[in-house]
Amino acid sequence: MAEECREGVSRHDELYESQSPQCQYCPGDSDDELTWISGQVDTGPQSSNGTKGPCRVIVHFDMDCFYAQVEMIRNPALRTVPLGVQQKYIIVTCNYVARELGVRKMMLVTDAMEKCPQLVLVSGEDLSPYREISYRVTGLLEMFFPLVERLGLDENFVDITELVESRLKQQMKLSDISINGHIYNQQPLDVTVQNHCRLAMGSHIAAEIRAAIHSQLGLTGCAGIASNKLLAKLVSGTFKPNQQTTLLPESTVPLLASLRGLHTLPGIGYRTACRLETLGLQSVEDLQRFPLANLEKELGATVARRVHSLSLGIDPSSVTPRGPPQSLSNEDSFRKVSTEAEVRQKVEELIIILLDRMYKDGRTPRTFRLTIRRFPRPVNKWFSRESRQCPVPGFLGQKICSGVDDAVGPLVKLAMKLFHRMVDTSLPFRLTLLSVCFTNLQSSCTKGSIQAFFVHESPGKQKDTPSQGVLLGSTGSSRRSAGGTPQLEPLDSSSECERATSAPPFGVDPSVFQELPADIQRELLSSIPGQSGSVTPSAPEPGVVTALRIPSFERLLQPSSVELHPGREWDADSCGEIGSPACDVPPNVDPQVFTELPLDLQKELLSEWKHETSPLKTQPPARRGRTLVSRGSKSATTSGSQTNNLLKYFKPS
DNA sequence: GCGCGATAG
DNA sequence: TCTTCTATCGCGC
């Protein structure tokens, strides 16, 4: 996000230069007053005549306590206990059971154990399982949308403007439009306002996104729907966990006013907040009121304009797909490493792991970097890392990308050279961190597919680069649900993608099946009886939706001793929006689809599910279906958004 | 290209 | 107190 904002600023600056003084992003100097501010706050794009034009529709999706969720998927028994994910002596995140008992993110393990002696700890120092699941989430989103941007491991922005527009064109009666989930500030929806309709439609698509991620990957999260990335991110956390909130433009002012402290604005970090404080600015509103010209004197034009815009809810940055990472690094922290031999040992361990990741990535690194942190930290320096980097010799690059393990020795040598450029080993030293990093990654290797990053274990399957392809959601009637509800449909894959011609497995929409890449089709087919024999589901029970297998997902998640449950339990803790259908439907029922059913049918289904549910509300009947599938090591199945339009399975006949 | 700083989760 | 283990981008040289 921060990077995006910076990137956005350059575009922003162009706007300043080319369109002043009428540019919407150029307030110009002002003698302030609140009325002026509310006039400047981004309540939607304005055309030159001052009327509101159509806004973009951006979704920010933020997974609930991501590391903890991944651990709970790997070991379902952890769902009901207070769980903390530990890195060294820090609880980096914890589940909601633990939160209710007073555990917080980034708490010291000792403090957490004091607060909650029954806290169960798992180590989260190896990020690979989280990284893998994280890229699966992004990959899933990219199947439906061309514009997906990752932010860290657990957040994604999706620009859904085009899909909103195509659905609105199909919408017969705009007066029927409603909002799915919460509306920020409980602002009434006005269907005569174009941008309200766009955002309302966006809220339904966001619900489908959340449902797809839940049904395919078993993960819950929050979504924010707004007209730019900044506002979508700010609003997404309003209701947690597993809920979504839409910001209508008129509520931008109260949203910004609700922020406590300048650092709560994404893009304003600790340092900038400190500098702003020296100007006497403490709140977002202080920053809004502060004359831009004065701000520029203190921060420079670039930073000043960016943060001033942010304070007004203006964020011109676009949702920018990043593709595979631009660097791969591996680091470890410790209390004390003070001999060269220890350094060499640590560096070798780090390199071995990093080489494995580099090999799986498939690209060739051209630059190698070693980073250290010394103790005590240098005075006057808060953040004390030092690094040295050097080119990776060609022969070594070849070894690395071909996977031969004799790259380790030369790399350790290289690392020690860099180490000696930083540390004089004739003097005492003490390090508390070592990090190795490959950057300048070139996709030159014959093995070559950088896209394989998303699907390590099946290098034959290459992910298409996100294209501006047609969204299938607006095409065929055969791909609409029985209720006429628009459902997410995958983006068309590239034409070079071969297609299998077999009939789909039972329960899978044939038209959807035909759209899948051939390898996925094969995997689907291999997961049904009589094909590869790896799974044994018979025809799905009523209420059960047969699912797509996510390649290698199960193997990834498979813990050594615990059965896999691809989906979350259906319990009060993991459930979302109180009073909304999402909270009341079983996990294999798409809440979006459910809400589109006639009200009487909804009631009937709810009543049926309720009767079949234990008093503890943990075992809805439909969950039996989940246990049908995927017990072997090669057979994960999850219900898919492609298939969850099978309304006929909702209700036993 | 290099090393660092700022920002983010 | 700025923790852990990453990752990105911009600046000045």
Side-chain angles (χ1 to χ4, degrees), chain A residues 78 81-86 91 95 98 113 116-122:
Chain A
L78 296 175
V81 302
L83 173 68
V85 180
Q86 177 181 9
I91 305 288
N95 67 3
M113 291 309 286
C116 177
Q118 70 274 42
L119 184 66
V120 175
L121 295 174
V122 295

Side-chain angles (χ1 to χ4, degrees), chain A residues 7 61 229 248 266 320 468 532 627:
Chain A
E7 189 180 296
F61 178 71
K229 290 202 294 180
L248 298 177
T320 310
Q468 300 292 326
S532 79
T627 62

Side-chain angles (χ1 to χ4, degrees), chain A residues 6 11 46 61 116 126 153 157 167 215 234-235 239 297 349 352 387 389 490 517 535 587 598 603 609 615 627 653:
Chain A
R6 257 179 250 121
R11 285 176 217 136
Q46 289 187 312
F61 178 71
C116 177
D126 177 6
L153 289 183
F157 290 101
R167 286 213 185 157
S215 63
L234 284 176
V235 82
F239 293 95
K297 280 179 204 142
E349 290 167 18
I352 288 170
S387 66
Q389 68 186 47
V535 236
K603 277 183 194 158
W609 290 329
T627 62
S653 51

Side-chain angles (χ1 to χ4, degrees), chain A residues 183-256:
Chain A
I183 306 183
Y184 186 79
N185 212 26
Q186 299 185 33
Q187 183 187 333
L189 182 71
D190 181 353
V191 294
T192 66
V193 176
Q194 186 187 27
N195 285 339
H196 282 211
C197 292
R198 297 167 75 80
L199 292 160
M201 186 59 85
S203 76
H204 289 278
I205 295 166
E208 292 173 35
I209 290 174
R210 293 201 302 130
I213 289 169
H214 184 245
S215 63
Q216 293 276 354
L217 301 174
L219 293 161
T220 65
C222 292
I225 302 93
S227 60
N228 67 40
K229 290 202 294 180
L230 168 72
L231 297 173
K233 181 170 168 59
L234 284 176
V235 82
S236 69
T238 310
F239 293 95
K240 289 181 178 177
N242 195 22
Q243 298 170 69
Q244 64 177 65
T245 313
T246 303
L247 177 72
L248 298 177
E250 296 77 11
S251 291
T252 303
V253 171
L255 174 64
L256 293 170

Side-chain angles (χ1 to χ4, degrees), chain A residues 278-387:
Chain A
T278 67
L279 297 174
L281 308 181
Q282 300 221 318
S283 69
V284 174
E285 286 155 305
D286 292 341
L287 181 54
Q288 291 172 349
R289 289 192 202 97
F290 199 76
L292 181 59
N294 296 7
L295 208 57
E296 286 183 1
K297 280 179 204 142
E298 299 295 330
L299 301 175
T302 307
V303 175
R305 289 175 182 187
R306 185 182 74 236
V307 301
H308 200 248
S309 291
L310 292 173
S311 77
L312 296 167
I314 295 167
D315 175 14
S317 71
S318 57
V319 173
T320 310
R322 304 227 171 270
Q326 296 174 36
S327 64
L328 299 186
S329 67
N330 188 18
E331 69 184 47
D332 194 16
S333 63
F334 28 75
R335 289 186 56 77
K336 182 179 173 197
V337 160
S338 49
T339 68
E340 200 177 326
E342 288 175 299
V343 172
R344 186 183 303 272
Q345 172 68 31
K346 274 287 173 201
V347 160
E348 182 172 331
E349 290 167 18
L350 291 170
I351 284 174
I352 288 170
I353 305 288
L354 186 62
L355 277 176
D356 188 50
R357 280 216 277 145
M358 197 64 249
Y359 170 67
K360 284 174 175 161
D361 177 277
R363 288 172 290 175
T364 309
R366 296 292 180 209
T367 304
F368 178 69
R369 179 162 63 225
L370 181 77
T371 301
I372 64 170
R373 184 179 63 194
R374 319 171 97 115
F375 183 88
R377 292 217 308 279
V379 280
N380 296 336
K381 272 195 157 184
W382 289 53
F383 200 72
S384 62
R385 285 177 173 218
E386 295 165 60
S387 66

